[in-house]
Amino acid sequence: MAKTATKQKIVAMTGNAGCALAMKQINPDVVAAYPITPQTTIVEEFANYVANGVVDTEYINVESEHSAMSACIGASAAGARVMTSTSSQGLALMWEELSIASSLRLPIVMQTVNRALSGPINIHCDHSDSMGARDMGWIHLFAETAQEAYDNTIMAIKIAEHKDVRLPVMSMHDGFITSHAIDRFEVLDDADVKKFVGDYMPKHSLLYNPNEPVTFGPFAMPAFYYEQRKQLRVAIDGSKDIVMKVTDDFAKLSGRQYGLFEEYRLDDADVAIVVLGSTAGTTRYVIDAMRAQGVKVGMLKLRVFRPFPAEEIAQALSKLKAVGVMDRSDTVGTLGGPVYVETKAALYNSKQRPAMQGYVYGLGGRDTGPDQIETVIGDLVKVVKGEESPREAVTLLGVKE
Amino acid sequence: MAEVKLTEIRWHARGGQGAVTAAKLLAETALSQGRYFQAFPEYGPERMGAPIQAFTRISSEPIHIRSSIANPEIVVVLDPTLLKAVDVTSGMHEDGVLIVNTDDEPKAIRKAMGLKGRTIFTVNATRIAQETIGRPIPNTPMMGALVKATDMMPIENLTDYVRKSFGKKFSEEIIEGNVRAVERAYAEVKAE
């Protein structure tokens, strides 16, 4: 157990129950959500907290995710602390509202339990839902474990509402693998979470400043639109420092230190895997086993996907010989998955850079076992030895031929 | 506390027999021992009576692997009719442990399955459940058999935890029925 000033409780809970607990501890003013597998148990459990009177939240039952996000936008613009949660098609149905939330600079926090997009219809994990929404102006955090999903939810509120950020945040964890598995993790006291997130006092709001009315969601013609979009770019680029400030503050409270990404055994590595979500755990397991056999392999596990920490990634990876980037979503019709394409682009102007190849894995919940990670590492070693040239086309891991 | 290396368990049952609850209860009992664990069912279009699987990992050290369990050391079968319907020993370790809820002797199961190696345990958990709890739900007695077969913890740890966790939800009669079910299965399970 980590040494911290504060007392924490070790629990046996599913990732979703942990996220619902974090929501209870945050005690948001408004939650508007619509149930969808595998997110359902979050809103179900949170509805219990509301029904039992342990939170003050106004829980709005809506008839669709489009309405859920619309209600969140209205409540957030009025000055409320707002949270919601969704998955897959639910996120897709929110689509037109997502960019409105970010352009209005509304600090809505949404737990997104990653599930494959239809079709064919599927309930299991991949990242195609949130990756499809990667350019909507939201901050994207990814979790490897239930612990990280719980921790990120608490940090997300503080990041979103920070006066220099004021942007919506999506906090992701893997459907079923993390959401429905019972895991061991530490939870903070209610009072510590309450103190950490503090009160939300927006600068402009109908609730707190009724005598200083402002307009939300105005019409902007060519004379004004572009500058608004520039402000969004400046805000999300600038949020990187605040993400890290909140992350460091959280480490002081919890003893759990996170970063924009984690570098695992990367210092002296020749080859490395870039990955995010629960597969980082399986990758860690394989790396330990292969290190024991003398293979110099490491991992860069992304936690913050938006804002994309391009400069920091380039620095962390430039000295390696070969890097394999794993995507649990496929961006068809282009070079490969989004993590691969962006990681590769981040390194393009580096004087020194590794050979890189992209892998797609685990679509629709296809199990990604140690054998697939070993395959990637084996491929990278062949590139380093000159036995193979780096592949131009992405490799589809674990697909039946 | 005894060190436990990473142990992987696969549960086979039919929807409604409580395999997911058993996997969860085992994980929580492991937590009460200060151990690390994961418990996860295989989600599909399951319904009452359909074959299902659930998985548990237990270790003294933090567990990082997140994929499904392909090569379990321990396989627990809650319904004997599954032996003919599902390949319950698929991927199972050569020196693994198979625990079956059946009235048959371990030798008969070995012969019927043509199984070499491995240790086979059998116990009539359904009858024990009927006689102790009053309902034919084999999950808690099978946990007693599992503890005996694997020696993963003293049986008192499990019965203490059953009392503690069931105490919040169930009557004294049901709790003590479950405790007796665990103890009887622990005593009655046979090995070969």
Side-chain angles (χ1 to χ4, degrees):
Chain A
M1 194 169 161
K3 274 186 204 160
T4 56
T6 187
K7 227 175 95 183
Q8 297 184 63
K9 195 172 139 196
I10 304 178
V11 296
M13 260 187 209
T14 65
N16 275 2
C19 286
L21 175 68
M23 283 174 84
K24 180 205 117 178
Q25 295 179 318
I26 290 162
N27 192 7
D29 300 315
V30 173
V31 167
Y34 191 82
I36 179 167
T37 304
Q39 155 265 36
T40 311
T41 47
I42 294 181
V43 290
E44 206 172 72
E45 194 125 340
F46 188 73
N48 281 337
Y49 290 129
V50 176
N52 294 337
V54 294
V55 290
D56 310 310
T57 308
E58 182 71 33
Y59 190 99
I60 308 175
N61 284 305
V62 286
E63 82 290 359
S64 75
E65 285 86 356
H66 189 276
S67 300
M69 188 45 68
S70 300
C72 287
I73 287 171
S76 184
R81 173 174 278 166
V82 179
M83 296 183 78
T84 185
S85 178
T86 196
S87 294
S88 185
Q89 303 309 104
L91 183 63
L93 189 52
M94 287 179 179
W95 181 256
E96 69 154 351
E97 301 297 323
L98 294 176
S99 62
I100 295 173
S102 58
S103 73
L104 294 182
R105 307 288 299 280
L106 301 175
I108 299 160
V109 169
M110 173 156 65
Q111 287 162 336
T112 304
V113 186
N114 285 120
R115 160 183 158 183
L117 280 177
S118 299
I121 190 166
N122 175 292
I123 56 169
H124 285 277
C125 177
D126 72 34
H127 303 149
S128 53
D129 49 3
S130 69
M131 283 300 175
R134 66 189 181 277
D135 298 332
M136 299 304 263
W138 289 56
I139 291 171
H140 287 217
L141 307 176
F142 279 88
E144 174 187 330
T145 59
Q147 179 78 71
E148 293 182 15
Y150 168 83
D151 290 345
N152 280 347
T153 302
I154 294 165
M155 284 183 266
I157 284 284
K158 218 168 162 180
I159 293 164
E161 292 174 357
H162 192 282
K163 65 178 174 52
D164 298 330
V165 176
R166 289 187 293 132
L167 284 170
V169 179
M170 271 184 222
S171 179
M172 265 64 76
H173 64 270
D174 282 352
F176 289 108
I177 301 163
T178 311
S179 68
H180 283 60
I182 300 165
D183 207 345
R184 169 182 160 142
F185 56 103
E186 294 178 14
V187 299
L188 294 156
D189 271 352
D190 291 2
D192 284 331
V193 175
K194 192 178 174 194
K195 197 173 157 206
F196 181 78
V197 298
D199 291 328
Y200 175 47
M201 200 52 74
K203 197 174 169 194
H204 305 289
S205 85
L206 293 170
L207 286 176
Y208 301 109
N209 300 310
N211 298 325
E212 292 173 33
V214 290
T215 301
F216 280 92
F219 191 56
M221 290 295 272
F224 296 102
Y225 180 90
Y226 201 170
E227 285 67 32
Q228 290 259 322
R229 300 305 295 184
K230 183 194 166 189
Q231 284 178 13
L232 182 61
R233 167 174 281 276
V234 170
I236 198 159
D237 285 349
S239 71
K240 201 161 68 179
D241 294 342
I242 310 299
V243 169
M244 278 320 298
K245 187 187 172 299
V246 172
T247 299
D248 292 345
D249 287 347
F250 186 81
K252 283 177 207 145
L253 172 68
S254 67
R256 294 184 289 278
Q257 179 74 60
Y258 302 104
L260 297 166
F261 48 78
E262 179 194 345
E263 295 176 56
Y264 186 69
R265 307 189 82 162
L266 212 50
D267 269 355
D268 63 337
D270 292 331
V271 301
I273 288 178
V274 177
V275 67
L276 45 73
S278 65
T279 303
T282 307
T283 305
R284 199 184 300 276
Y285 171 85
V286 173
I287 286 172
D288 287 348
M290 292 192 90
R291 278 274 179 177
Q293 296 163 27
V295 182
K296 285 186 167 180
V297 55
M299 168 175 73
L300 188 150
K301 180 189 86 176
L302 262 179
R303 169 173 171 255
V304 182
F305 180 68
R306 286 288 181 269
F308 190 72
E311 204 183 319
E312 292 83 354
I313 289 175
Q315 204 168 2
L317 297 180
S318 63
K319 290 194 182 115
L320 290 159
K321 292 175 183 160
V323 169
V325 184
M326 294 178 64
D327 274 279
R328 201 163 195 155
S329 62
D330 198 3
T331 310
V332 292
T334 182
L335 306 172
V339 185
Y340 170 55
V341 171
E342 295 193 19
T343 305
K344 205 170 175 182
L347 280 149
Y348 187 76
N349 284 334
S350 296
K351 284 199 183 81
Q352 201 183 353
R353 62 185 185 223
M356 291 185 77
Q357 41 195 41
Y359 293 83
V360 168
Y361 72 98
L363 298 190
R366 175 65 51 84
D367 189 43
T368 303
D371 56 325
Q372 291 184 24
I373 313 288
E374 286 163 12
T375 299
V376 174
I377 297 169
D379 288 351
L380 297 172
V381 169
K382 277 184 204 152
V383 170
V384 171
K385 286 183 178 164
E387 292 167 17
E388 273 185 16
S389 302
R391 291 176 203 163
E392 289 305 325
V394 286
T395 303
L396 303 181
L397 282 171
V399 75
K400 293 178 210 157
E401 296 297 342
Chain B
M1 187 196 321
E3 288 291 302
V4 180
K5 69 170 182 65
L6 179 60
T7 304
E8 297 187 319
I9 304 169
R10 185 171 68 211
W11 305 75
H12 291 275
R14 292 189 181 275
Q17 290 182 320
V20 174
T21 307
K24 181 172 184 272
L25 193 65
L26 183 65
E28 290 172 350
T29 311
L31 174 66
S32 72
Q33 306 301 298
R35 290 186 183 140
Y36 292 85
F37 55 82
Q38 288 171 1
F40 50 103
E42 180 187 69
Y43 282 90
E46 61 271 81
R47 60 250 166 238
M48 192 78 93
I52 60 136
Q53 293 182 41
F55 305 92
T56 310
R57 287 190 173 100
I58 297 180
S59 175
S60 299
E61 300 294 321
I63 302 167
H64 299 298
I65 187 167
R66 290 278 152 186
S67 50
S68 185
I69 293 174
N71 305 110
E73 282 98 3
I74 300 160
V75 172
V76 185
V77 182
L78 266 66
D79 189 316
T81 65
L82 288 172
L83 297 177
K84 285 182 183 159
V86 177
D87 182 9
V88 298
T89 56
S90 167
M92 192 182 166
H93 270 226
E94 283 304 314
D95 53 357
V97 171
L98 174 69
I99 310 167
V100 186
N101 169 24
T102 172
D103 201 28
D104 290 343
E105 296 289 318
K107 192 173 276 180
I109 296 291
R110 183 181 294 285
K111 196 178 164 198
M113 295 182 71
L115 203 62
K116 293 190 179 75
R118 285 114 172 181
T119 314
I120 301 176
F121 290 81
T122 65
V123 65
N124 193 333
T126 307
R127 187 171 64 212
I128 291 173
Q130 187 68 56
E131 288 171 7
T132 53
I133 312 164
R135 291 177 66 196
I137 296 184
N139 59 353
T140 36
M142 284 304 277
M143 291 182 66
L146 173 68
V147 169
K148 178 69 172 278
T150 59
D151 206 19
M152 63 170 66
M153 64 179 81
I155 190 67
E156 293 76 23
N157 290 355
L158 178 58
T159 50
D160 286 353
Y161 192 77
V162 166
R163 282 198 178 95
K164 193 177 140 201
S165 79
F166 283 32
K168 296 173 201 156
K169 287 189 202 166
F170 298 108
S171 69
E172 186 65 24
E173 193 188 342
I174 290 177
I175 296 164
E176 287 311 312
N178 275 282
V179 167
R180 278 202 309 282
V182 168
E183 288 170 345
R184 266 192 61 186
Y186 182 84
E188 292 176 22
V189 68
K190 296 168 195 164
E192 192 220 72

